Amino acid sequence: MAEKAKMIVDKDFRISKIDKRLYGSFIEHLGRAVYNGIYQPGHPSADEEGFRKDVLELVKELDVPIIRYPGGNFVSNFYWEDSVGPKDQRKKRLDLAWRTLETNEFGINEFTKWCKKANSEVMMAVNLGTRSITDALNLLEYCNLDTDTYYADLRRSHGDKEPYGIKTWCMGNEMDGPWQVGHKPAYEYGRLAAETAKAMKVMDDSLEFVLCGSSNVEMPTFPEWERITLTEAYDYVDYVSLHNYYGNRSNDTADFLAKTQDLEHFLHSVICTCDYVQAVKRSKKQINLSFDEWNVWYHTMDSDNEKMALKPWDQHPHLLEDHYNFEDALLNGLILITFLKHADRVKIACLAQLVNVIAPIMTEDDGPAWRQTIFYPFLHASKYGRGYALFCPLSSGKHDTAKHSDVTDIDATAVYNEEQGEVTIFAVNRNTEGDVEFSADLRSFEGASVIEHIGLAGYDMKAENSAGKENVAPAAFKGYTMDNGVFETILKSCSWNVIRFKV
Ligand code: AHR
């Protein structure tokens, strides 16, 4: 007999309105993310500005409301002035983060235009590695001000009359990491971030700032880093960042799919640390979370490190081009479910990254753009995961894995889109050994009817997509019933499920 799992979806049990920026992403000057990714003049699909239209179409399909730029590690040695104005006068630079030659042919002027075409907002990171308050202020003036002053005039002289109106600003990147150019100890970074945000707020009080949290949960300085930096910067920032990448180096699918337990622990610890500092400060202000780098990343790590060591200073080399498989897509679905369950605190999240570099979208230099396996859970969540995150009690069987215990077979949550009159359940069966009989009680939504049950199931764990060959793509699932407000079906072993209801 199959295992059973039961869920209650009630319209009054609302966790929070979902911030649409939960479906953000990230473009870094790294590998082929920009060059031969979003920008490739001369490619048959390039538009008049050199932007690949095939890529833009896929980005629009994902409906990404905000995109972090220009890094990542890249930003910590970035001279933004080199990336604006007439292209023939732009300086070539060494990018120390990825040991690459940066031509600056594509920069802030181009990215802001590209984002408009992609229907996305820019989330801009400032360089707090090798630079400081002055440069952040100059960049802000260039981007956002309409004054008759040097940098605003400079932008206008570059043909961009209207300010870019960038609202969300990252105070550097992964400043806790010894690998970061200009890495700083917590107190020093906390002071710099506080003073930078304070000065930027004088220019524009409506901006929101993201403080660098830990680069990953394994950092030896976690969570003291958060406590110390927030103690310095609390009054000036709105979010603390979290980054984490996952991998399956031990080739143990069950344990890999249990890794959202670690993510839960990470989120819980950061939320507690924010709230601890709030309590110490007797502050009324709550700090929320910006999980601005998340994904699976391990397939190419070793070969990339070798490449950067042996052959530095190439232009847009193939770096971090992980080819994702089916189990990676399942983990991404589980991560998205976890974020939705914490939608009251996780307001921004960026799938890292968007094109070619650990990305859902890949390009062939001389060919088409194509969708990786991980494209689909993100697509579904972005498309159907808008509205209110619901708190859904769930009973499910559990199992143990090599490094995790009491792992629920089913992880699931639901979103209520009041405007559209729709409820969507997102569910993963991460039991590698069996199907699960699943029921969802939607009786609080009188007259609810099933629109569709779609998802990914039945693939080899290592199945991948490639240009022209989508081995892993969503299918419609049959075999469900809906009686008196109760939905029942079988969730296949190792499956991603999206169950949509009209309510
Ligand atoms: O996304 C790739 C890299 O991962 C980013 O540059 C950095 O912030 C993180 O370590």
Side-chain angles (χ1 to χ4, degrees):
M1 255 237 312
E3 284 267 5
K4 286 194 169 136
K6 213 168 152 182
M7 178 180 188
I8 299 174
V9 183
D10 190 300
K11 66 167 183 285
D12 294 325
F13 295 176
R14 298 178 189 201
I15 297 172
S16 165
K17 178 113 183 137
I18 297 159
D19 190 316
K20 65 178 182 176
R21 295 174 298 173
L22 200 65
Y23 305 112
S25 190
F26 176 28
I27 288 280
E28 176 165 7
H29 280 253
L30 195 184
R32 297 189 310 129
V34 171
Y35 305 107
N36 291 16
I38 62 176
Y39 174 77
Q40 191 178 357
H43 187 273
S45 85
D47 68 10
E48 63 292 350
E49 290 172 302
F51 304 151
R52 278 185 68 150
K53 283 191 278 192
D54 55 351
V55 174
L56 266 171
E57 281 317 307
L58 293 178
V59 174
K60 283 198 271 188
E61 188 179 337
L62 288 178
D63 195 0
V64 186
I66 192 162
I67 304 179
R68 187 164 170 256
Y69 178 84
N73 295 337
F74 172 82
V75 80
S76 294
N77 188 41
F78 175 52
Y79 290 80
W80 69 266
E81 303 88 333
D82 300 343
S83 85
V84 294
K87 288 195 180 190
D88 55 356
Q89 289 165 31
R90 293 188 191 175
K91 294 184 187 124
K92 287 185 187 164
R93 290 274 191 180
L94 294 179
D95 160 27
L96 303 184
W98 304 104
R99 306 192 86 209
T100 298
L101 194 145
E102 174 57 58
T103 62
N104 282 308
E105 183 182 331
F106 183 102
I108 290 172
N109 300 145
E110 291 72 31
F111 188 67
T112 47
K113 287 191 181 73
W114 181 83
C115 272
K116 271 208 181 110
K117 291 190 175 175
N119 303 327
S120 306
E121 265 176 51
V122 179
M123 178 178 185
M124 183 70 85
V126 302
N127 174 357
L128 291 189
T130 56
R131 304 190 90 184
S132 188
I133 305 175
T134 320
D135 309 292
L137 290 173
N138 295 344
L139 173 61
L140 174 60
E141 182 189 322
Y142 183 91
C143 290
N144 279 14
L145 266 65
D146 215 1
T147 46
D148 180 15
T149 47
Y150 181 76
Y151 285 103
D153 285 341
L154 187 65
R155 183 197 66 244
R156 282 187 285 265
S157 77
H158 294 158
D160 290 344
K161 292 210 169 43
E162 294 304 317
Y164 302 143
I166 300 169
K167 287 289 164 213
T168 316
W169 293 77
C170 301
M171 298 287 93
N173 176 70
E174 295 190 349
M175 299 305 301
D176 63 322
W179 59 85
Q180 201 69 216
V181 176
H183 155 70
K184 294 167 180 54
Y187 175 76
E188 198 181 313
Y189 167 69
R191 291 283 311 124
L192 177 60
E195 291 303 322
T196 307
K198 186 172 98 184
M200 290 172 79
K201 262 183 192 297
V202 175
M203 275 194 189
D204 183 349
D205 195 28
S206 70
L207 303 181
E208 291 199 321
F209 295 101
V210 183
L211 184 74
C212 286
S214 294
S215 300
N216 61 69
V217 70
E218 308 289 341
M219 294 300 289
T221 45
F222 173 75
E224 271 298 275
W225 173 272
E226 280 74 1
R227 184 187 65 77
I228 297 168
T229 56
L230 275 171
T231 299
E232 298 311 314
Y234 201 92
D235 293 341
Y236 307 109
V237 300
D238 304 278
Y239 307 92
V240 63
S241 78
L242 297 85
H243 291 180
N244 217 80
Y245 294 99
Y246 299 88
N248 186 10
R249 283 187 185 267
S250 51
N251 194 17
D252 177 342
T253 301
D255 196 57
F256 178 59
L257 298 180
K259 289 195 180 194
T260 46
Q261 268 196 355
D262 308 337
L263 171 60
E264 279 283 354
H265 174 69
F266 190 16
L267 292 170
H268 177 71
S269 308
V270 175
I271 291 168
C272 290
T273 309
C274 292
D275 293 351
Y276 168 75
V277 178
Q278 179 182 14
V280 171
K281 290 189 173 283
R282 276 81 171 146
S283 173
K284 288 209 165 65
K285 174 176 162 187
Q286 176 178 283
I287 298 290
N288 286 321
L289 275 46
S290 170
F291 214 117
D292 45 46
E293 288 189 33
W294 68 270
N295 202 347
V296 171
W297 173 20
Y298 74 105
H299 297 285
T300 56
M301 243 175 214
D302 298 338
S303 56
D304 283 341
N305 286 337
E306 204 173 301
K307 207 184 277 177
M308 284 185 284
L310 297 177
K311 208 170 166 291
W313 320 126
D314 267 0
Q315 282 181 41
H316 50 79
H318 289 252
L319 285 176
L320 281 69
E321 297 201 10
D322 281 39
H323 279 210
Y324 291 110
N325 57 34
F326 177 48
E327 67 184 8
D328 298 332
L330 293 176
L331 187 76
N332 276 12
L334 287 160
I335 293 172
L336 287 158
I337 289 172
T338 309
F339 290 160
L340 285 168
K341 287 183 181 174
H342 291 278
D344 55 334
R345 297 303 290 267
V346 184
K347 298 294 173 188
I348 306 173
C350 302
L351 172 63
Q353 301 189 10
L354 188 56
V355 180
N356 285 334
V357 169
I358 42 174
I361 300 168
M362 298 297 288
T363 66
E364 302 297 306
D365 289 349
D366 305 314
W370 52 278
R371 301 172 185 84
Q372 295 239 47
T373 61
I374 61 165
F375 186 94
Y376 289 107
F378 188 89
L379 170 75
H380 293 148
S382 174
K383 214 165 160 183
Y384 306 122
R386 313 271 176 135
Y388 288 93
L390 297 179
F391 168 69
C392 304
L394 173 70
S395 80
S396 159
K398 292 180 177 168
H399 59 273
D400 293 339
T401 66
K403 292 199 184 126
H404 300 85
S405 36
D406 287 332
V407 181
T408 56
D409 296 333
I410 302 296
D411 199 7
T413 195
V415 169
Y416 177 27
N417 188 328
E418 217 166 6
E419 279 160 32
Q420 305 271 334
E422 282 188 20
V423 167
T424 301
I425 294 175
F426 300 103
V428 173
N429 177 357
R430 57 179 155 183
N431 184 332
T432 53
E433 281 164 17
D435 299 347
V436 172
E437 280 179 24
F438 175 76
S439 76
D441 179 342
L442 280 91
R443 279 176 297 176
S444 80
F445 294 97
E446 235 174 89
S449 60
V450 182
I451 301 173
E452 60 179 358
H453 176 185
I454 54 171
L456 306 170
Y459 299 108
D460 186 287
M461 286 304 136
K462 308 299 177 194
E464 293 175 4
N465 293 347
S466 58
K469 193 136 198 273
E470 272 205 17
N471 296 313
V472 178
F477 301 147
K478 299 272 177 268
Y480 53 77
T481 59
M482 181 86 186
D483 286 322
N484 299 319
V486 179
F487 171 86
E488 287 185 339
T489 195
I490 302 281
L491 300 185
K492 292 278 177 209
S493 167
C494 295
S495 59
W496 160 250
N497 302 272
V498 181
I499 309 164
R500 298 176 55 223
F501 303 88
K502 192 84 211 154
V503 296

